[in-house]
Amino acid sequence: MNGPSAPPSNGSLSCEPEPQHISITVFLCLLFLGGFLLNSFSLWVFCLRMPRWGPGTTLQFHLALSDAIVTPTAPLMAAYLALGSHWPFGRFLCQLKIALLSTHFYGSILFLTLISVHRYVSVVQYSKASPMKRVGFIHKLCAAVWLLLLLKGAACFSLLGTSQVGNHTQCLSIHQGEYIQVYFSINFSLLVPAFLVPFSVSVACYCRLASSVSRINASTANGRAIKAKSRKMVAVCLLIFAVCFMPLNIVRSVGVVVRKYYPEQCRLLLRVETAYYVSWILASANSCFDPLLYCFGSQDFTRAFRRSLRKIGLRFEDGPSRNGLDSVDSVGLTTKTTQSSTVLDRETASTSSL
């Protein structure tokens, strides 16, 4: 610990916040900086290097946008932790931080889920008509998601704020006794619809996608390349859910239960608080992982990304040619007679038309 104060006894009804280890602040800053650079560059590629957007590209852009909006909270959170869990910036900036964190966190979950559904529809439901294949519908869907996120962010902004705990001004802390009922209600009202359901939908979609991709004929160079890229995309998406989002939801749920029903268990509460900040480190890593999905999910983004790197002087050899498959539009593809060729056709279409 960075100069920790002696924790109160377990019989105390009031836990004085402890300073967190400096490594938590360092890791948060590094991850936020990495996420800011990667997502800023991705947004630049989307806006200036990709003139035509398909449904998948549109969803990926909004995912990058939801990752980028959390950037202003990084220096505030770093200062808060460096000052020993003391918030010197006033109530308004605390409320703004909470609203931005909430919008980013649940925005990433929802847009990742929509990307999973779109990928499933494009590959597994290749021959069936679906609104998820229409850009106009995707724009309306994204607008609805942002409306929900703004409403939730506004609710958090109005319901939560700062409070004094001993000599510390707290913001979004487990020690804020007057807000514990609000934290408890928000956490468990969102746990199922805003995390467990999207996570289950994503797992189901990617399981079906993995099954479909497994039937691709790996004896050809195209088949091997598409199979490898699709597997990486499945792995990255499920990794983001399991490593970045799940720990934060679990630790936060445990924390509000301990604070609400066992407030006298101070040592346990302090350990849960440390685990909460560690889970925020994992959650912050999703901003660095998400750009990998853009490369695995869209050949157009990959090509634009490479052209952009060349413009700033970074040159490298392109991978092997895919015999013109990148330019094929999904509408014009003909179903092959063999099952493996059909799956390859589907995956090629979804990759090139995102």
Side-chain angles (χ1 to χ4, degrees):
M1 290 293 176
N2 183 21
S5 58
S9 65
N10 283 357
S12 174
L13 291 177
S14 177
C15 288
E16 188 75 14
E18 275 193 348
Q20 299 298 317
H21 197 277
I22 189 63
S23 61
I24 292 179
T25 304
V26 172
F27 277 116
L28 275 175
C29 289
L30 290 175
L31 287 169
F32 274 121
L33 177 61
F36 168 72
L37 293 175
L38 288 170
N39 285 286
S40 296
F41 188 70
S42 297
L43 288 172
W44 180 76
V45 171
F46 281 128
C47 294
L48 299 179
R49 308 296 297 171
M50 297 180 64
R52 294 181 58 192
W53 288 8
T57 304
T58 303
L59 290 172
Q60 291 166 5
F61 168 80
H62 286 281
L63 175 60
L65 191 61
S66 72
D67 286 339
I69 63 172
V70 76
T71 303
T73 68
L76 300 179
M77 292 180 67
Y80 176 65
L81 293 171
L83 292 172
S85 299
H86 174 69
W87 184 265
F89 304 111
R91 182 181 178 88
F92 174 79
L93 285 181
C94 173
Q95 293 172 302
L96 182 62
K97 182 196 84 167
I98 295 171
L100 289 176
L101 286 174
S102 170
T103 302
H104 155 70
F105 184 70
Y106 289 104
S108 295
I109 290 176
L110 292 176
F111 285 119
L112 274 172
T113 303
L114 291 177
I115 288 172
S116 304
V117 173
H118 174 262
R119 194 70 172 175
Y120 165 80
V121 169
S122 299
V123 179
V124 182
Q125 302 291 332
Y126 168 74
S127 60
K128 297 181 180 179
S130 171
M132 291 296 291
K133 299 178 182 179
R134 299 200 301 266
V135 177
F137 176 80
I138 293 297
H139 281 305
K140 294 176 183 177
L141 191 60
C142 290
V145 170
W146 280 112
L147 179 60
L148 289 174
L149 293 173
L150 290 175
L151 290 174
K152 183 187 178 300
C156 291
F157 184 93
S158 61
L159 292 174
L160 300 171
T162 58
S163 56
Q164 198 71 23
V165 180
N167 296 323
H168 296 77
T169 301
Q170 297 280 281
C171 174
L172 194 61
S173 169
I174 200 173
H175 299 288
Q176 295 176 276
E178 68 268 40
Y179 290 123
I180 191 59
Q181 184 58 50
V182 179
Y183 287 140
F184 187 90
S185 300
I186 291 176
N187 179 78
F188 285 103
S189 64
L190 293 174
L191 182 62
V192 173
F195 174 68
L196 292 179
V197 171
F199 178 57
S200 300
V201 170
S202 294
V203 169
C205 288
Y206 279 117
C207 284
R208 293 293 304 277
L209 175 62
S211 175
S212 180
V213 168
S214 68
R215 296 193 293 273
I216 292 178
N217 183 4
S219 62
T220 66
N222 288 338
R224 287 191 297 270
I226 294 171
K227 202 168 187 176
K229 178 167 281 193
S230 295
R231 284 176 172 172
K232 289 176 183 177
M233 183 176 182
V234 170
V236 170
C237 188
L238 296 183
L239 178 72
I240 291 172
F241 268 103
V243 175
C244 299
F245 297 141
M246 187 179 293
L248 183 60
N249 278 277
I250 293 174
V251 173
R252 187 177 58 199
S253 299
V254 172
V256 295
V257 169
V258 170
R259 183 63 180 84
K260 181 176 174 64
Y261 295 108
Y262 306 99
E264 74 284 356
Q265 298 295 324
C266 192
R267 291 186 184 277
L268 175 60
L269 196 64
L270 292 174
R271 289 171 182 169
V272 171
E273 181 184 26
T274 299
Y276 174 74
Y277 288 122
V278 172
S279 69
W280 259 115
I281 293 176
L282 297 175
S284 302
N286 89 88
S287 296
C288 299
F289 290 146
D290 286 343
L292 295 176
L293 289 175
Y294 313 148
C295 293
F296 295 145
S298 174
Q299 291 295 326
D300 288 340
F301 180 87
T302 302
R303 287 195 295 269
F305 184 83
R306 289 178 175 178
R307 288 196 300 268
S308 301
L309 290 180
R310 291 192 189 100
K311 274 195 168 291
I312 61 176
L314 297 178
R315 294 183 176 276
F316 48 87
E317 290 185 4
D318 290 335
S321 173
R322 293 180 56 193
N323 300 324
L325 284 174
D326 286 345
S327 63
V328 179
D329 188 272
S330 60
V331 177
L333 287 175
T334 305
T335 304
K336 308 297 184 182
T337 56
T338 62
Q339 185 181 48
S340 61
S341 296
T342 301
V343 177
L344 176 59
D345 225 16
R346 293 175 178 178
E347 185 61 14
T348 300
S350 63
T351 305
S352 60
S353 61
L354 286 173

